[in-house]
Amino acid sequence: MTWDPRSLPDLSGRVYLVTGSNAGLGYFASEQLVRAGASVLMSGRHPNRLSAARAAIRRRVPDAAPDATEPLILDTSNLGSVRSAAASVRGRGGLDGVLLNAGIVHAPRARETTIEGHEVVFATNALGHFALAGELLTALAEASGRMVWVGSMSARISPYDPVDPHLEDRYSAWRAYVQSKVATAALGFEADRRLRAAEVPVASVVAHPGYSTGGRTPGIAGVNEPSRMKRFRDNLQAAVAQSKEHGAWPLVRALVDPEVQGGEFWGPRTGTRGEPRRRAAPKITRDTEIAARLWDVAESATGVHWPFEQAAAART
């Protein structure tokens, strides 16, 4: 099947949730979904930033329906916020897909923890999305929907095994980011294995954006406003880098392409840039023992146990 990321299939009547949709990959994924006719629940931590992002979509997609986007306050580092947002979404009925995108890319130099006591990068990038996906499982099953977890090339560059996922020892910003992305992808693949085993009609897919930078991304007021110096620095990497607009392509294809199957890994054609293609996932993210261990850690840390039986019964 030929896939044109600039001309998606008609998504009218579909409803998607995108986490971290006020900027970066999440914003452009939301815009691309709206252009194709979908309704998007745009989530983020800051109401003003969400308002700016929704206004940008209205400017850039003037023929979109007035209710094409809806704001949802959600902080994936805060489990109370996750539960509250999930309850709001479940009240709407079926959900066609959720893009688990929100996250910390530039980790703090010194270790920080959330109000629940979890290391903040692991909590934001992995634990919050594990909890959110579990809380939304029945809504996704009602629509035979799909969840997409956002991985990273870093898991291939520095394949850290998260034996200490909260990094109580040997914390570094790079290790915190990589471990969180190893965990995110491993949980995404493990989710698909468990969903299949329980016969839940929800696919779990992992995708990554390649090397996508703000300095190679279109300037949009309130969404992406890089300095001249950032533009200059990022454009020096043009041979390997791409815009976040293009970085959203694999994420959106993984979310909406009917040919995509659960358990697959999608990314740019060259690995760092280009059109979305099915890729081979980093070996560490496919290790079933690591994934099962991380699943237990996530259940214990979040208190969320996915309702597989209830979701299997909810299928249409």
Side-chain angles (χ1 to χ4, degrees):
M1 175 180 170
T2 300
W3 182 266
D4 183 355
R6 296 178 177 85
S7 181
L8 300 181
D10 183 14
L11 300 177
S12 299
R14 304 285 184 89
V15 179
Y16 298 97
L17 166 61
V18 179
T19 69
S21 52
N22 58 276
L25 299 167
Y27 168 80
F28 286 104
S30 298
E31 182 184 297
Q32 289 164 26
L33 293 168
V34 168
R35 285 187 186 279
S39 296
V40 181
L41 304 177
M42 296 178 66
S43 80
R45 295 180 297 173
H46 303 289
N48 290 346
R49 294 178 186 176
L50 276 175
S51 294
R54 294 178 67 219
I57 288 180
R58 287 193 294 271
R59 291 194 306 270
R60 290 167 58 87
V61 192
D63 58 344
D67 60 350
T69 66
E70 183 176 325
L72 179 69
I73 301 301
L74 169 60
D75 180 354
T76 57
S77 73
N78 183 316
L79 294 174
S81 175
V82 170
R83 286 190 290 269
S84 176
S88 296
V89 176
R90 286 197 306 270
R92 299 173 53 92
L95 182 66
D96 292 286
V98 56
L99 176 57
L100 304 168
N101 162 79
I104 296 174
V105 176
H106 303 293
R109 291 186 179 181
R111 183 177 182 271
E112 297 179 10
T113 58
T114 67
I115 58 174
E116 287 96 2
H118 305 140
E119 191 277 313
V120 70
V121 183
F122 181 57
T124 304
N125 295 2
L127 293 180
H129 284 134
F130 173 88
L132 180 65
E135 294 279 0
L136 294 177
L137 191 58
T138 53
L140 288 166
E142 288 173 11
S144 296
R146 190 177 298 179
M147 59 180 71
V148 175
W149 309 67
V150 179
S152 169
M153 296 186 304
S154 65
R156 200 182 305 276
I157 298 169
S158 303
Y160 295 129
D161 181 352
V163 292
D164 176 18
H166 292 287
L167 284 174
E168 296 180 67
D169 298 309
R170 298 178 59 202
Y171 177 89
S172 75
W174 176 246
R175 181 179 288 274
Y177 175 70
V178 175
Q179 284 197 175
S180 75
K181 285 303 181 180
V182 169
T184 297
L187 288 170
F189 292 132
E190 180 67 9
D192 192 70
R193 288 187 285 268
R194 296 189 183 216
L195 290 166
R196 289 176 183 271
E199 298 185 344
V200 177
V202 174
S204 178
V205 185
V206 182
H208 81 93
Y211 184 31
S212 302
T213 66
R216 292 189 55 74
T217 301
I220 302 174
V223 175
N224 185 64
E225 300 175 275
S227 66
R228 289 185 179 180
M229 181 55 68
K230 182 169 178 56
R231 287 275 189 211
F232 176 76
R233 287 197 309 265
D234 287 2
N235 282 325
L236 291 176
Q237 305 174 84
V240 294
Q242 64 180 357
S243 70
K244 294 195 176 186
E245 183 177 24
H246 292 181
W249 287 352
L251 282 55
V252 171
R253 183 170 189 180
L255 187 65
V256 306
D257 184 350
E259 300 298 318
V260 170
Q261 300 293 313
E264 293 181 344
F265 183 63
W266 286 79
R269 177 176 52 82
T270 69
T272 62
R273 64 194 303 269
E275 295 77 13
R277 297 285 188 274
R278 188 182 294 107
R279 312 292 299 176
K283 183 178 179 181
I284 191 171
T285 66
R286 288 288 191 181
D287 188 306
T288 56
E289 292 185 5
I290 291 174
R293 177 184 2 114
L294 286 167
W295 193 276
D296 290 342
V297 168
E299 283 188 332
S300 176
T302 64
V304 175
H305 299 268
W306 287 26
F308 291 106
E309 291 186 9
Q310 183 180 351
R315 60 183 170 180
T316 57

